[in-house]
Amino acid sequence: MTKYGKIVAVKNGSAILQVPRSTACGDKCASCSSHCNQGMIEIEVKNNLDAQIGDHVEVESATHMVLGAAFLVYLVPLVMMLLGIFLTNIISNSLGISPNEFLSAFVGFCFLALTFVAIRFNDNRRRKKKEEIFTMKRLIKH
């Protein structure tokens, strides 16, 4: 996935870029009457082009990492919550106890919360390892 951004800060061999946030509808704003706000996000990229503040650059992201992050953030928590609910019901039935909806929901939400803690831990580990999601490809002349 290719994005274009403007460098707003440079520090320790990295650059902070402002890039337009992608929208779920595909950024076809001229054909849409929703008037959604396509704000800017900031990303940190290794400054391998020796770009300066104010430069416009093209950055590319590893598609497999973006898809993996989307899977981890959107699908895994839902699956884990449902797993907690189903496991509670299965264990209740195997113990001869009538399934309790409140207990099942509580355990499901506990699984959900633990999943978000694990996602946060994974994100911190990735940041410490300095895994690069975006790569600066070229400077854009204006």
Side-chain angles (χ1 to χ4, degrees):
M1 178 184 339
T2 302
K3 291 201 168 277
Y4 302 93
K6 179 180 178 181
I7 297 180
V8 294
V10 176
K11 62 177 182 177
N12 301 331
S14 294
I16 307 294
L17 279 85
Q18 280 189 339
V19 296
R21 179 184 306 272
S22 296
T23 60
C25 59
D27 305 327
K28 305 291 187 245
C29 296
S31 64
C32 180
S33 61
S34 294
H35 306 294
C36 53
N37 183 9
Q38 182 189 14
M40 302 293 270
I41 59 171
E42 290 187 353
I43 59 172
E44 186 172 347
V45 181
K46 184 177 177 185
N47 192 358
N48 56 347
L49 300 177
D50 197 30
Q52 302 301 316
I53 295 175
D55 287 347
H56 292 266
V57 295
E58 176 183 317
V59 292
E60 192 170 279
S61 62
T63 303
H64 71 280
M65 289 186 80
V66 173
L67 291 176
F71 174 79
L72 185 65
V73 171
Y74 292 113
L75 194 59
V76 171
L78 176 65
V79 169
M80 292 303 291
M81 183 177 75
L82 293 175
L83 181 67
I85 292 168
F86 290 130
L87 283 177
T88 303
N89 286 332
I90 289 170
I91 292 171
S92 294
N93 286 332
S94 69
L95 295 175
I97 302 170
S98 176
N100 182 331
E101 290 83 12
F102 177 75
L103 180 62
S104 295
F106 178 75
V107 172
F109 282 117
C110 287
F111 272 52
L112 180 70
L114 288 173
T115 303
F116 285 126
V117 169
I119 289 170
R120 179 65 177 203
F121 176 77
N122 182 50
D123 186 51
N124 288 339
R125 184 185 53 81
R126 183 192 57 78
R127 286 179 193 214
K128 285 180 184 175
K129 286 174 58 176
K130 301 273 188 208
E131 290 180 16
E132 298 292 329
I133 295 175
F134 294 96
T135 306
M136 205 180 283
K137 289 298 181 183
R138 67 182 177 100
L139 289 169
I140 299 172
K141 304 294 181 199
H142 277 272

